[in-house]
Amino acid sequence: MIYQEWKGKKLSMLGFGTMRLPLLQDGSGEVDEELVSKMIRYAAEQGVNYYDTAYPYHNAKSEIIVGKALKQLPRESYYLATKYPGHQIATSYDPATIFEEQLKKCGVDYFDFYLLHNVYENSFSTYTNPKWGIVDYFVKQKQLGRIKHLGFSSHALQDTLIAFLDRYGDVMEFCQIQLNYLDWTLQDAKAKYDLLTERGIPVWVMEPVRGGRLADVDEATKKKLNVLRPGMSVASWAFRWLQGLSNVKMILSGMSSMEQMIDNVHTFETLNQLTEEETQVLLEIAEEMKDSVPCTACRYCCSDCPKKLDIPKLLSLYNDMRFSPSFYVGMTIDSLEEDSKPSACIGCGKCAKICPQKIDIPKAMKEFSELLETTPHWEELCKQRDEAARKLREEQSQNP
């Protein structure tokens, strides 16, 4: 197992993310707890020592399931991470109440790693609002030893990430971002990685294989990769690419089966970074995957837009949506004012006339708006998870 030395700790570079735990085959949608227990035992035997969960995962049951499965291991043998759901804030979600509940659900006295969950445009004001005192509360818990290391996860745009770091960068020890060889350019994850590196904040990686999309490529791509490294799994290419980034200290994989676990453990047995040639091939494959509108962000289109839309940003989000509908796009669009969304485009065509790439921008804005209308709404999905968590708390209070 590859390990990273960090603040006196020896962290397995592969962490077990528990947002996509295996489900029972009966169609109930419930987690297969027996299999989770086997997977955690196998992971521990192979040297994995970092386990990541969060308050809302699996309808607020992930912390309970993971905590129960970890009971088979000595407490000092693993590092447990969870997250505070500030992006879903409600009156009953004050930090103390949630934190005490999480300790109880996980069956521990402290968390090795604790994150502010999903700092982004809409949650920024919640995390920075003195009314809630969120950061101050968790800094205090760290001082009390109930949190060993404090950090945050983020799907934010660059400006929001900078603003948060300007406020709290001195107390945030690590940051978890979506990072993979596709989003390196598609979501401009490179800029976020570079920013965190410049600020001296180590990177924890989520979505290393883009929810499985980078492990399920077409046959032509498989053959191309197999020529370079015969027998290496497709998923391992994404992990090997990340291993080459010096500021990446933790790579979380949401493994949903024992087969995925075994393959990933094998990948992380030894450090075997990609060559420059292999890296270039991988980035070329990423470009082929995108099917993107070829915007270069020259911003010529913005000067004459009567609605003052940030067209390059919207086209970047549209490209992301075209590849695969995601929470990231939904969250970002929700954070915009109505007159800044793609639906605000009046189709005048001034932008298209001046575009050096000859992009039909009004058409792209229309298609983007239609695509958003047919995609499940981010806030509605959050409400559903919030309601499931509320019901679970009620059940627990009635059956302590």
Side-chain angles (χ1 to χ4, degrees):
M1 177 58 60
I2 304 168
Y3 291 97
Q4 294 274 12
E5 297 288 342
W6 186 76
K7 294 196 172 186
K9 289 180 167 59
K10 188 177 179 182
L11 303 176
S12 59
M13 198 174 191
L14 173 64
F16 189 0
T18 62
M19 188 175 75
R20 299 184 178 94
L21 293 172
L23 304 180
L24 294 170
Q25 299 300 305
D26 59 7
S28 65
E30 295 297 318
V31 172
D32 187 336
E33 296 189 37
E34 182 178 349
L35 181 52
V36 170
S37 181
K38 290 179 180 178
M39 291 174 68
I40 285 181
R41 184 164 60 250
Y42 176 84
E45 289 170 352
Q46 303 305 313
V48 175
N49 63 11
Y50 190 97
Y51 302 88
D52 171 272
T53 183
Y55 189 85
Y57 292 173
H58 288 284
N59 291 325
K61 295 179 182 178
S62 176
E63 289 173 322
I64 297 172
I65 295 167
V66 172
K68 189 186 302 183
L70 286 172
K71 287 295 183 184
Q72 64 189 307
L73 306 177
R75 179 64 183 93
E76 68 277 6
S77 70
Y78 64 85
Y79 301 115
L80 177 60
T82 194
K83 311 175 188 73
Y84 172 74
H87 61 305
Q88 298 175 250
I89 201 72
T91 305
S92 59
Y93 273 42
D94 69 279
T97 300
I98 293 300
F99 187 68
E100 297 299 336
E101 181 184 345
Q102 289 177 301
L103 288 169
K104 182 179 179 181
K105 286 167 71 177
C106 291
V108 295
D109 298 320
Y110 65 91
F111 291 112
D112 302 280
F113 294 83
Y114 197 85
L115 297 85
L116 307 180
H117 200 172
N118 196 10
V119 174
Y120 80 112
E121 286 66 34
N122 274 5
S123 65
F124 181 87
S125 59
T126 298
Y127 281 119
T128 58
N129 191 335
K131 171 185 176 182
W132 298 106
I134 294 171
V135 176
D136 289 342
Y137 175 79
F138 289 119
V139 168
K140 180 66 174 179
Q141 297 312 302
K142 183 184 173 187
Q143 293 170 347
L144 294 172
R146 304 176 84 200
I147 292 172
K148 303 304 180 183
H149 299 286
L150 182 63
F152 69 107
S153 69
S154 179
H155 287 283
L157 297 173
Q158 188 80 342
D159 288 347
T160 305
L161 190 56
I162 290 172
F164 188 78
L165 290 173
D166 285 346
R167 278 181 178 246
Y168 300 119
D170 59 333
V171 295
M172 293 293 125
E173 299 177 83
F174 62 101
C175 178
Q176 190 167 305
I177 61 172
Q178 181 167 321
L179 182 60
N180 52 66
Y181 67 82
L182 176 70
D183 289 320
W184 189 245
T185 53
L186 184 58
Q187 290 190 7
D188 201 14
K190 180 181 184 302
K192 299 176 186 178
Y193 173 84
D194 289 343
L195 170 66
L196 293 166
T197 301
E198 290 167 5
R199 297 289 183 105
I201 297 178
V203 171
W204 264 231
V205 173
M206 56 181 161
E207 300 292 355
V209 291
R210 250 284 185 145
R213 289 295 302 275
L214 300 184
D216 186 22
V217 298
D218 59 45
E219 288 302 318
T221 299
K222 288 180 182 177
K223 289 179 181 178
K224 188 182 295 185
L225 295 176
N226 197 52
V227 167
L228 292 170
R229 294 205 185 191
M232 195 167 89
S233 71
V234 175
S236 65
W237 279 86
F239 294 120
R240 296 290 187 205
W241 179 80
L242 287 165
Q243 289 173 9
L245 299 176
S246 61
N247 195 36
V248 168
K249 304 302 179 185
M250 173 60 57
I251 302 173
L252 298 169
S253 178
M255 295 167 275
S256 302
S257 69
M258 185 62 81
E259 290 73 21
Q260 291 175 358
M261 173 73 75
I262 292 171
D263 183 53
N264 288 353
V265 165
H266 176 67
T267 297
F268 282 85
E269 285 177 347
T270 56
L271 188 63
N272 191 357
Q273 300 169 7
L274 303 183
T275 65
E276 289 186 14
E277 177 192 358
E278 290 169 337
T279 297
Q280 186 57 41
V281 168
L282 208 59
L283 294 177
E284 289 171 0
I285 288 171
E287 291 303 315
E288 293 169 1
M289 287 179 178
K290 289 179 185 177
D291 183 30
S292 299
V293 174
C295 176
T296 61
C298 67
R299 304 193 70 82
Y300 292 171
C301 55
C302 297
S303 58
D304 288 336
C305 177
K307 303 297 290 185
K308 304 301 180 184
L309 295 176
D310 188 340
I311 295 171
K313 180 169 76 173
L314 292 175
L315 289 177
S316 175
L317 292 167
Y318 178 44
N319 283 334
D320 196 333
M321 198 74 164
R322 280 161 61 100
F323 176 77
S324 176
S326 67
F327 277 163
Y328 167 75
V329 177
M331 289 186 297
T332 305
I333 291 295
D334 282 348
S335 70
L336 300 176
E337 299 293 336
E338 287 300 320
D339 59 1
S340 297
K341 296 180 179 181
S343 55
C345 174
I346 60 175
C348 67
K350 289 182 178 181
C351 50
K353 290 178 182 178
I354 201 172
C355 177
Q357 309 304 320
K358 308 301 181 186
I359 301 170
D360 187 343
I361 298 172
K363 179 182 177 183
M365 294 295 105
K366 183 175 184 295
E367 291 176 349
F368 190 14
S369 296
E370 292 172 350
L371 192 56
L372 288 168
E373 289 175 1
T374 59
T375 302
H377 197 273
W378 157 251
E379 289 190 352
E380 181 57 34
L381 291 172
C382 282
K383 287 178 182 177
Q384 292 174 10
R385 294 196 305 190
D386 195 14
E387 178 62 16
R390 184 189 64 76
K391 289 181 178 178
L392 181 62
R393 289 200 301 275
E394 288 182 354
E395 292 173 4
Q396 291 173 333
S397 65
Q398 293 170 3
N399 301 288

